[in-house]
Amino acid sequence: MSKPVDSAVSTVRAYIQDHREAFLDDLAAWLRIPSVSAQPDHAPDVRRSADWLAGQLARTGFPTTEVWETAGAPAVFAEWPSGDPQAPTILVYGHHDVQPAAREDGWDTEPFEPVVIGNRLHARGAADDKGQVFFHTLGLRAHLHATGRTAPAVNLKLLIEGEEESGSPHFRALVEAQRERLAADAVIVSDTGMWSEDTPTVCTGMRGLADCEIELYGPDQDIHSGSFGGAVPNPAAAAARLVAALHDEDARVAVPGFYDGIVELTDRERELFAELPFDEERWLRTAKSRATHGEAGHTTLERIWARPTAEVNGIGGGYQGPGGKTIVPASAMLKLSFRLVAGQDPDLVEKAVAAWVAEQVPAGIRHEITFGAATRPCLTPLDHPALQSVVRAMGQAFEQKIRFTREGGSGPAADLQDVLDAPVLFLGISVPSDGWHAPNEKVELDLLMKGVETTAYLWGDLAENWADAS
Amino acid sequence: MSKPVDSAVSTVRAYIQDHREAFLDDLAAWLRIPSVSAQPDHAPDVRRSADWLAGQLARTGFPTTEVWETAGAPAVFAEWPSGDPQAPTILVYGHHDVQPAAREDGWDTEPFEPVVIGNRLHARGAADDKGQVFFHTLGLRAHLHATGRTAPAVNLKLLIEGEEESGSPHFRALVEAQRERLAADAVIVSDTGMWSEDTPTVCTGMRGLADCEIELYGPDQDIHSGSFGGAVPNPAAAAARLVAALHDEDARVAVPGFYDGIVELTDRERELFAELPFDEERWLRTAKSRATHGEAGHTTLERIWARPTAEVNGIGGGYQGPGGKTIVPASAMLKLSFRLVAGQDPDLVEKAVAAWVAEQVPAGIRHEITFGAATRPCLTPLDHPALQSVVRAMGQAFEQKIRFTREGGSGPAADLQDVLDAPVLFLGISVPSDGWHAPNEKVELDLLMKGVETTAYLWGDLAENWADAS
């Protein structure tokens, strides 16, 4: 904290300080637009949010800003070439739509009336994701100011979608349609978080996702359990046995081939995970659960970040109403999802699951299995030069050692990785207490400004240290 | 078929023949009353049915006929003492309410407009159970006529309930309240069936029933399977594992103590089952199933009649709607039922199940188990003198060897057995094709008259061969 800062840092900090108030006013104006993509009556607000952002990006200096239509809500694209033919091309991803919010859900203030209380800005979208998109604007201005450039040191592109909170239903189609204009050497996703305010971190990967629904059919209709039970196979029992067989005694997924090809954690990565100040009791409270349970030989962080899983998301069959009903049910269904890690191919996983299910289902039970759209895992190697740049830029802003996390979840970032064939990096400055999707969402102003500062350093570092990107 | 019949038989047959037409007219009048206990708007019809039956039993000669109120629909009680202090007391059970029926359900005729087509009487209740209750009236008159008696050879009581098709919710309370007036040496239930028209049979027992609902609680709310899945226990998986653990590899129930005390089938009983002309392919069609599956070492008939079972009637947890939802669900539930055989005590079975479930549920999952009202099994030993009388009376009527079956289901007969501490016998003349609970229910007129004839012989045989009953 007391180490001397160089002149570039002091220039950046002074610039940010000078523009902080206007920056926060602008962000507040955006947060006032209730761009709730899941609620059809807010569709005009989502469009207004896109238009507002496109205007703001133009005011920031982007020579190209466009609102891109999709079959759903519009996305915003902006582009600012570096002018340097050697410069790498970076695509920043975020979203301008927000989760639903209403005062009566438990908000202490109006969710779409931003208000600063102490050192926090409260509003729906403050952290997820408008605040994180927005720090790129002032950060870019500070970068230009501190370097004296008239264009960014990298070819900068922004793609800010409008349907992330609705599951990004048209995102992949958009990326595929705009593949050439979105082409980049790396993607920077600003829609994640850090470990905590005291422990700044960079996320290095997200898990992939495959999911399926399995229908199991027994008798042609519910039949009397007194007349027939105990003498014919029961599809609800068959569904249950499938689930029970899904994991072995070590809580490893028992589907043959499931682990084929996975990139195992290195000792160094396990050490880095173990260095994080993880409090399992506290984590359990966040998980609203009473015990940990998972693959033998792995810590909780390894289980949620770096190990593939099989989870029962839903199971149903037979009588669900009050009291009892003495039947052998006609059918049962299972909804399973599989989190995937680097090295796993969703297609192969789906084939392995389908073959395993077919083998497990007993005689007399017919089954159908349907897979949803899969998401690939993404993982940035720790020694990737772009990741090193992000770590250095963050370190300079936070004046702290930057540690590494991963995301257990899966997201549209993987679509960018797949379609654009570019590595995905994560630059998120939110913390778990920010209340994503919850009442009283907020962003810590100090962290928000650290986000601004990080991006002020990032483009120069990338241009300097990743010359061979293209 | 061609063996000479004795004079008593010819007297009985002549009497029945003379009264057949009036008997069928009376039955048709009763069948016209739509005594559907499950439909509140038919409550007046159920009452009308009870009043009609009480009047008919009075006309039959019963000196005592009463309509007994319950908290629901009324039952009918009738009593006709023998006058002989040595005579056994027999209570006949049946029901006067019927299943719902409407022409548009697939009936070829009006369900409450009885019609004879060929040798079949079609109407709702023709077989289940008005026809079977009603054959006792003419049978009793034939008995008196052929023996020259003015009162039955046994002390005869009838209890015809009005809520059987609604699950007999007030039946046990009624039997308990009227325990003394219902006291009997044996109960004869006329609400079952025979193997087939060609194979007349006597049912010697019904299975008992215990059932429970198990709620399993994991996280306090559904949690994100990406953030937490694979690291905390999943209650839907726990429910599934309970089901999978419920049976061993031989499809035997794996709950310790479950089989304690059961009366095993004798070799003779297994031989008698095996003698029945059982067509497994045909049975599977009736079961609308594609394979048999059950306890190793037992035939299908043994499994459904004489072996206890554990069945999943319902399972549910997590997301059940269309598509997927990546959650670890907060809770899951199971509905299990257990068919019980002679020697099993429902209380002990419930204790064993509760203890086993508590042991199986993994750390971090809380559970609650709730048991419904249990029904005891009932079984009449093959050498019971009253059963021998039923077999002889049926044999005389059918002029055929009478074989033995059991019922896989469970019924209010067990309440009579328990409260009155009397063995339960089954005298049913319906056949599987009669369409109980289905459209186009019918009774075969020839079989109906065999029921009349059987009861014409039964009371004398019982009085003669079971003098030590009381």
Side-chain angles (χ1 to χ4, degrees):
Chain A
M1 307 279 178
S2 57
K3 75 174 182 182
V5 292
D6 64 26
S7 71
V9 168
S10 50
T11 306
V12 161
R13 288 187 181 169
Y15 184 87
I16 293 173
Q17 189 55 40
D18 287 349
H19 295 80
R20 174 185 163 119
E21 201 169 336
F23 168 78
L24 292 178
D25 286 347
D26 287 341
L27 174 56
W30 195 21
L31 291 169
R32 279 189 198 97
I33 303 173
S35 50
V36 180
S37 60
Q39 295 174 338
D41 55 333
H42 281 296
D45 296 317
V46 180
R47 179 163 300 278
R48 195 149 57 90
S49 163
D51 291 340
W52 187 95
L53 176 62
Q56 192 66 18
L57 293 173
R59 282 188 291 282
T60 300
F62 279 88
T64 303
T65 60
E66 296 173 17
V67 173
W68 281 358
E69 298 302 326
T70 73
V76 176
F77 175 74
E79 186 172 11
W80 197 339
S82 155
D84 174 358
Q86 300 300 314
T89 301
I90 305 296
L91 173 66
V92 170
Y93 166 86
H95 61 91
H96 67 91
D97 63 321
V98 299
Q99 279 278 313
R103 183 75 184 255
E104 58 267 28
D105 294 343
W107 285 75
D108 297 330
T109 62
E110 287 294 335
F112 296 106
E113 270 307 320
V115 55
V116 174
I117 301 172
N119 210 15
R120 295 167 167 181
L121 170 61
H122 288 266
R124 172 58 85 221
D128 177 21
D129 184 38
K130 285 174 175 169
Q132 301 207 60
V133 168
F134 212 59
F135 68 58
H136 283 280
T137 60
L138 182 55
L140 178 57
R141 295 301 314 170
H143 161 61
L144 297 176
H145 172 76
T147 58
R149 301 181 57 96
T150 55
V154 298
N155 301 304
L156 196 59
K157 299 178 181 181
L158 264 67
L159 177 61
I160 312 301
E161 74 157 314
E163 296 188 308
E164 200 274 345
E165 300 296 2
S166 302
S168 303
H170 309 102
F171 185 67
R172 189 173 179 111
L174 178 69
V175 174
E176 284 174 346
Q178 300 285 1
R179 184 192 307 256
E180 286 175 28
R181 297 199 61 195
L182 293 171
D185 298 303
V187 176
I188 289 185
V189 170
S190 284
D191 185 29
T192 54
M194 308 194 312
W195 182 265
S196 70
E197 294 171 66
D198 301 330
T199 308
T201 52
V202 172
C203 171
T204 65
M206 296 183 88
R207 292 193 290 188
L209 180 65
D211 74 297
C212 67
E213 179 163 341
I214 305 169
E215 299 278 349
L216 296 141
Y217 300 98
D220 292 336
Q221 62 188 51
D222 293 351
I223 56 174
H224 193 287
S225 71
S227 304
F228 304 108
V232 293
N234 177 326
R241 288 191 196 112
L242 261 181
V243 170
L246 195 53
H247 294 88
D248 67 15
E249 302 256 307
D250 290 328
R252 281 173 63 87
V253 179
V255 175
F258 183 75
Y259 292 94
D260 285 0
I262 77 166
V263 178
E264 296 285 348
L265 280 169
T266 63
D267 288 347
R268 175 72 188 132
E269 285 169 318
R270 299 185 74 168
E271 279 168 30
L272 288 169
F273 284 5
E275 279 175 15
L276 289 164
F278 179 66
D279 179 340
E280 194 148 87
E281 284 303 312
R282 192 169 164 178
W283 180 86
L284 272 176
R285 284 196 296 276
T286 312
K288 301 181 186 303
S289 293
R290 273 149 209 85
T292 59
H293 172 79
E295 189 185 349
H298 288 283
T299 66
T300 292
L301 286 183
E302 290 168 12
R303 287 169 180 169
I304 57 174
W305 287 348
R307 299 301 300 170
T309 65
E311 201 71 51
V312 188
N313 308 124
I315 186 169
Y319 182 65
Q320 314 252 340
K325 193 173 182 189
T326 47
I327 54 166
V328 176
S331 65
M333 74 89 202
L334 279 179
K335 290 177 192 282
L336 305 179
S337 63
F338 302 87
R339 296 286 166 176
L340 309 178
V341 301
Q344 280 182 304
D345 179 331
D347 291 342
L348 296 182
V349 166
E350 290 178 2
K351 280 196 181 73
V353 169
W356 176 80
V357 168
E359 197 182 87
Q360 296 284 317
V361 172
I365 301 286
R366 185 171 64 80
H367 81 283
E368 285 171 12
I369 183 165
T370 318
F371 290 92
T375 303
R376 286 177 186 277
C378 42
L379 181 67
T380 319
L382 291 180
D383 58 1
H384 192 285
L387 180 61
Q388 295 296 323
S389 290
V390 171
V391 169
R392 272 192 302 270
M394 273 190 83
Q396 202 156 14
F398 281 87
E399 294 176 12
Q400 255 185 285
K401 178 172 177 182
I402 306 301
R403 296 174 188 273
F404 296 94
T405 64
R406 292 198 195 173
E407 265 287 327
S410 314
D415 289 327
L416 294 166
Q417 166 195 261
D418 288 359
V419 178
L420 306 180
D421 192 22
V424 169
L425 303 141
F426 298 87
L427 171 58
I429 51 79
S430 180
V431 288
S433 63
D434 283 351
W436 290 31
H437 300 200
N440 300 316
E441 180 178 349
K442 54 85 180 167
V443 68
E444 301 285 335
L445 290 179
D446 289 349
L447 290 183
L448 186 63
M449 303 321 287
K450 294 290 185 202
V452 172
E453 192 179 341
T454 298
T455 55
Y457 305 135
L458 180 57
W459 311 132
D461 192 301
L462 268 168
E464 193 172 326
N465 294 292
W466 200 29
D468 60 345
S470 42
Chain B
M1 307 282 178
S2 57
K3 77 175 181 179
V5 292
D6 63 26
S7 71
V9 169
S10 51
T11 306
V12 161
R13 289 186 180 168
Y15 183 87
I16 293 173
Q17 189 55 40
D18 287 349
H19 294 80
R20 174 185 164 121
E21 201 169 337
F23 167 80
L24 292 178
D25 286 347
D26 288 340
L27 174 57
W30 194 20
L31 290 169
R32 279 190 197 97
I33 303 174
S35 50
V36 180
S37 60
Q39 295 175 337
D41 55 333
H42 280 297
D45 296 317
V46 180
R47 178 162 300 278
R48 196 149 56 91
S49 163
D51 291 341
W52 187 94
L53 176 61
Q56 192 67 17
L57 293 173
R59 282 189 291 281
T60 300
F62 279 87
T64 302
T65 60
E66 296 173 17
V67 172
W68 281 358
E69 298 302 324
T70 72
V76 176
F77 175 74
E79 186 172 11
W80 196 341
S82 156
D84 174 358
Q86 300 298 317
T89 301
I90 304 295
L91 173 66
V92 170
Y93 166 86
H95 61 90
H96 67 90
D97 63 321
V98 298
Q99 279 277 314
R103 182 75 184 256
E104 57 266 31
D105 296 341
W107 285 76
D108 296 330
T109 61
E110 287 296 333
F112 297 105
E113 271 306 321
V115 55
V116 174
I117 301 173
N119 211 15
R120 297 167 166 182
L121 171 60
H122 289 265
R124 172 56 88 221
D128 177 20
D129 182 40
K130 285 173 174 169
Q132 301 207 58
V133 168
F134 211 60
F135 68 59
H136 283 279
T137 60
L138 181 56
L140 178 57
R141 295 301 315 171
H143 161 61
L144 298 176
H145 173 77
T147 57
R149 301 182 57 97
T150 53
V154 298
N155 300 304
L156 196 59
K157 299 178 181 181
L158 262 68
L159 177 62
I160 311 301
E161 74 155 316
E163 296 188 308
E164 200 274 344
E165 299 296 2
S166 301
S168 304
H170 309 102
F171 184 67
R172 190 174 177 109
L174 178 70
V175 174
E176 284 174 347
Q178 300 286 1
R179 185 191 307 256
E180 287 177 26
R181 296 198 62 195
L182 292 171
D185 299 303
V187 175
I188 289 185
V189 170
S190 284
D191 185 30
T192 55
M194 308 195 311
W195 182 265
S196 71
E197 294 172 65
D198 300 331
T199 309
T201 51
V202 173
C203 170
T204 64
M206 296 182 88
R207 292 194 290 189
L209 180 66
D211 73 298
C212 66
E213 180 163 341
I214 305 170
E215 300 279 348
L216 296 141
Y217 300 99
D220 292 337
Q221 62 188 51
D222 291 350
I223 57 174
H224 194 287
S225 72
S227 305
F228 304 108
V232 294
N234 176 326
R241 287 190 197 113
L242 259 181
V243 170
L246 194 54
H247 294 88
D248 67 14
E249 301 256 306
D250 290 329
R252 282 174 64 87
V253 179
V255 174
F258 183 76
Y259 291 94
D260 285 1
I262 77 166
V263 178
E264 296 286 348
L265 279 170
T266 63
D267 288 347
R268 176 72 188 131
E269 284 169 319
R270 299 185 73 167
E271 279 168 30
L272 287 170
F273 284 5
E275 278 175 15
L276 289 164
F278 178 66
D279 178 339
E280 195 149 86
E281 283 304 312
R282 192 169 165 178
W283 181 86
L284 273 176
R285 285 197 295 276
T286 312
K288 300 181 187 300
S289 294
R290 271 150 211 83
T292 59
H293 172 79
E295 189 184 348
H298 289 282
T299 65
T300 291
L301 285 183
E302 290 168 11
R303 288 169 178 168
I304 57 174
W305 287 349
R307 299 300 301 170
T309 65
E311 202 71 50
V312 188
N313 308 125
I315 186 169
Y319 182 64
Q320 314 252 338
K325 192 172 181 190
T326 49
I327 54 167
V328 177
S331 65
M333 76 88 202
L334 280 180
K335 291 178 191 281
L336 305 180
S337 63
F338 302 88
R339 296 285 165 176
L340 310 177
V341 301
Q344 280 182 305
D345 180 331
D347 291 342
L348 297 181
V349 167
E350 290 178 4
K351 281 195 182 74
V353 169
W356 176 80
V357 169
E359 198 181 86
Q360 295 283 318
V361 172
I365 301 286
R366 186 171 64 79
H367 81 284
E368 285 170 14
I369 184 166
T370 317
F371 290 92
T375 303
R376 287 176 188 277
C378 43
L379 181 66
T380 319
L382 291 180
D383 58 0
H384 191 286
L387 180 61
Q388 294 298 324
S389 289
V390 171
V391 169
R392 271 192 302 271
M394 274 190 83
Q396 202 157 16
F398 282 85
E399 296 176 11
Q400 256 186 286
K401 178 173 178 181
I402 306 302
R403 297 173 187 273
F404 296 94
T405 64
R406 292 196 196 175
E407 263 288 326
S410 314
D415 290 325
L416 294 166
Q417 167 195 261
D418 288 359
V419 178
L420 307 180
D421 191 24
V424 169
L425 303 143
F426 299 87
L427 171 58
I429 51 78
S430 180
V431 287
S433 64
D434 282 352
W436 290 30
H437 301 200
N440 300 316
E441 180 179 349
K442 53 85 181 168
V443 67
E444 301 285 332
L445 291 178
D446 288 348
L447 290 183
L448 186 64
M449 304 321 289
K450 293 289 185 201
V452 171
E453 192 179 341
T454 299
T455 55
Y457 305 133
L458 180 58
W459 312 130
D461 193 298
L462 269 168
E464 192 173 330
N465 294 293
W466 201 29
D468 59 347
S470 41

